[in-house]
Amino acid sequence: MSSTLLSRRAFLGSAAATGAFVLGTRLVPVSVFSQDALAQGPWEPGVYLAILPDGLVRIIAHRSEMGTGIRTSLPLVVADELDADWARVTLVQALGDKKYGSQNTDGSCSIRDFYEPMRVAGATARTMLEQAAAKTWNVPVAEVAARNHAVVHGASGRSLGFGDLVATARTLPVPDAAALQFKKAEAYRYVGTPMPSVDLEAIVKGQAVYGADVERPGMLLASIVRPPVLGSTLTSLDDGAARKVAGVTDVVKLTEATAPFGFKPLGGVAVLGTSTWATLQGRKALHAQWSASPNASFDSATLRKTLVDVVHTPGRVVRTQGNVDATLGVGPTHEATYYTPMLAHAPMEPPMAVAEVTGGKAEIWTCTQNPQAVQDTVAQALGITPEDVTCHVTLLGGGFGRKSKPDYAAEAALLARQVGKPVKVVWTREDDLQFDFFHAPSAQYLKAAIGPDGLPTAWLQRTAFPPIGSTFN
């Protein structure tokens, strides 16, 4: 089992050059696309499967891997339904492309959203291979079945590998999704069985490529001093000492973001250099002054008191069952108030991105949960179209939702355009904690009456928190 970082263009090109059987599936309806149609790309969520004449099966992994195993799990569904030999499957990490449907690997929905399309992809290919074998042998298709990377004819003992059937399978019409026969659960070889991650060996050997591992010829590194409070602007800058630091090549002012902020880069001052150490030392030598911001009045202690006061007074009733007030007056009661402050995501790997911008097009390499958001955000920052932004997805050292917000990728793109060289923006842990998209604080008040058996007989709960939607406003 191997895993490859390969562009869609290279994937399709190599498949076409070898006469591969390329199958594309969509949620509704299921269909096969010619190469011209693939180049245009369907809008609906989908997955692409290629079987080469040598029998190698290639599956595109269109979701981001951050330690959950999804880059292994979803392709396993395809391979199981196809009845492929997992040792003869290779994965191709997808670029950002809306033709795959949602690539936002956030909200724990990858299996829920894509288990069925993966089954359809595998079952469709298997059915067509079985039909190809039946046509080759001139026997009823009911007499043949896919078995471990081959199609066998039980009555005669004949067998043909997947690769041997590619040429014929490519000429067959695609079966209707409603007519597909899926494997029964007891026939699964991979689904429901513990399987090692396809990236395990590379990870333990230190060969896995994360955002910080990407290198490009002539690349500069950048560390950014951002506005200390959202809405602050740079009023003065003395960068003389920073420019004298060995290894520092440039100091660049970035335009501060304006509302609505969305996923825009915040702006500030970037120190660029030939090493991370140089940029960090240069950054320390900067003398920057910032304007006041209307957001400077925000105070965590005040917000906490406000939320706690709210939950200690009756509010809008969401659910009521029985007579809580009457029951709370009987027997012993317990009550407690809980509060969670603003929380940073703090994945093990801070945000990282590498960008090259040439000829009105941008190429990004980054640890992102949402490559399509990278395309949109970088395009907006540079004033180009999302189609002119290519996003390569590396492995992620954790994400938790933070890396679905691509401000750091847009920073790299803006700097790359400014200096005319590839730029890697390096976030420190301090940057990560200070400039996160914070989880909203929450206050909870609970009161319960306890019966003779120690179990609650009544339960009152009130909750107050800024809605998560406000994070994106």
Side-chain angles (χ1 to χ4, degrees):
M1 179 64 214
S2 62
S3 177
T4 306
L5 289 174
L6 187 68
S7 72
R8 183 185 66 84
R9 184 183 301 277
F11 168 71
L12 291 176
S14 63
T18 55
F21 169 37
V22 180
L23 177 69
T25 70
R26 300 189 298 178
L27 282 178
V28 182
V30 176
S31 59
V32 166
F33 307 101
S34 66
Q35 283 193 28
D36 288 341
L38 279 173
Q40 297 172 4
W43 174 255
E44 296 86 356
V47 61
Y48 301 102
L49 169 67
I51 304 175
L52 277 66
D54 63 1
L56 180 69
V57 172
R58 288 179 177 171
I59 300 173
I60 289 184
H62 71 298
R63 309 289 279 180
S64 297
E65 178 57 66
M66 64 198 84
T68 65
I70 200 60
R71 218 169 82 93
T72 303
S73 300
L74 285 176
L76 277 169
V77 178
V78 180
D80 211 340
E81 200 62 60
L82 177 61
D83 222 297
D85 179 357
W86 189 238
R88 302 184 67 187
V89 173
T90 186
L91 299 190
V92 179
Q93 182 64 46
L95 299 175
D97 196 321
K98 289 182 170 58
K99 72 185 184 63
Y100 294 119
S102 172
Q103 289 178 270
N104 187 13
T105 316
D106 200 354
S108 303
C109 62
S110 291
I111 291 292
R112 283 182 285 148
D113 288 353
F114 290 98
Y115 180 81
E116 191 64 22
M118 295 290 178
R119 289 185 72 203
V120 169
T124 302
R126 170 174 47 79
T127 300
M128 296 177 73
L129 289 169
E130 290 171 342
Q131 291 172 344
K135 182 177 180 180
T136 301
W137 294 322
N138 194 26
V139 299
V141 70
E143 294 183 4
V144 305
R147 294 287 184 271
N148 195 27
H149 228 84
V151 179
V152 299
H153 182 230
S156 64
R158 287 176 290 184
S159 175
L160 285 171
F162 283 177
D164 300 325
L165 296 166
V166 164
T168 303
R170 295 179 65 193
T171 66
L172 301 177
V174 182
D176 186 83
L180 293 174
Q181 296 293 315
F182 296 103
K183 292 173 68 173
K184 296 185 182 301
E186 56 268 22
Y188 287 151
R189 293 190 293 150
Y190 308 132
V191 174
T193 300
M195 299 283 287
S197 164
V198 297
D199 301 300
L200 180 60
E201 183 176 354
I203 290 172
V204 298
K205 288 183 176 180
Q207 298 169 345
V209 177
Y210 292 84
D213 298 318
V214 175
E215 301 286 340
R216 301 296 297 167
M219 183 181 76
L220 296 175
L221 295 100
S223 183
I224 301 174
V225 177
R226 299 170 183 83
V229 180
L230 188 68
S232 295
T233 58
L234 187 68
T235 57
S236 67
L237 174 67
D238 181 354
D239 61 6
R243 291 182 179 274
K244 294 178 182 178
V245 173
V248 169
T249 59
D250 204 353
V251 177
V252 175
K253 296 180 183 179
L254 293 166
T255 302
E256 282 84 22
T258 56
F261 294 99
F263 301 148
K264 294 177 183 176
L266 295 178
V269 182
V271 178
L272 293 98
T274 55
S275 70
T276 302
W277 176 256
T279 62
L280 292 177
Q281 296 309 302
R283 173 176 167 175
K284 291 178 182 178
L286 285 175
H287 296 284
Q289 299 293 322
W290 305 88
S291 70
S293 166
N295 297 305
S297 63
F298 175 82
D299 180 73
S300 298
T302 301
L303 179 59
R304 174 172 182 161
K305 183 179 185 305
T306 299
L307 292 176
V308 169
D309 288 347
V310 166
V311 297
H312 278 271
T313 58
R316 180 174 61 89
V317 176
V318 177
R319 180 185 178 189
T320 181
Q321 179 177 322
N323 193 332
V324 174
D325 292 333
T327 311
L328 282 173
V330 180
T333 61
H334 295 272
E335 59 182 325
T337 302
Y338 299 94
Y339 182 79
T340 58
M342 278 191 172
L343 297 175
H345 296 84
M348 184 178 292
E349 172 201 32
M352 298 279 176
V354 175
E356 290 186 20
V357 180
T358 55
K361 296 182 183 294
E363 195 160 6
I364 312 293
W365 293 260
T366 184
C367 46
T368 178
Q369 292 175 249
N370 193 349
Q372 293 167 7
V374 170
Q375 291 179 288
D376 292 338
T377 302
V378 169
Q380 182 183 28
L382 297 180
I384 59 179
T385 67
E387 291 73 24
D388 286 329
V389 179
T390 301
C391 181
H392 302 269
V393 182
T394 68
L395 294 178
L396 285 64
F400 315 124
R402 170 59 179 101
K403 291 175 183 172
S404 64
K405 303 156 185 64
D407 49 332
Y408 51 100
E411 288 178 335
L414 288 167
L415 288 170
R417 183 177 66 177
Q418 176 84 2
V419 301
K421 294 182 178 180
V423 172
K424 177 191 290 183
V425 168
V426 178
W427 282 51
T428 65
R429 174 60 68 207
E430 292 84 353
D431 293 336
D432 176 43
L433 295 177
Q434 183 173 0
F435 301 105
D436 193 23
F437 290 79
F438 300 101
H439 195 291
S442 172
Q444 307 276 337
Y445 171 68
L446 293 87
K447 185 176 183 180
I450 306 301
D453 57 0
L455 298 176
T457 58
W459 182 291
L460 169 66
Q461 181 168 345
R462 301 191 191 108
T463 178
F465 56 90
I468 193 170
S470 66
T471 303
F472 307 105
N473 290 341

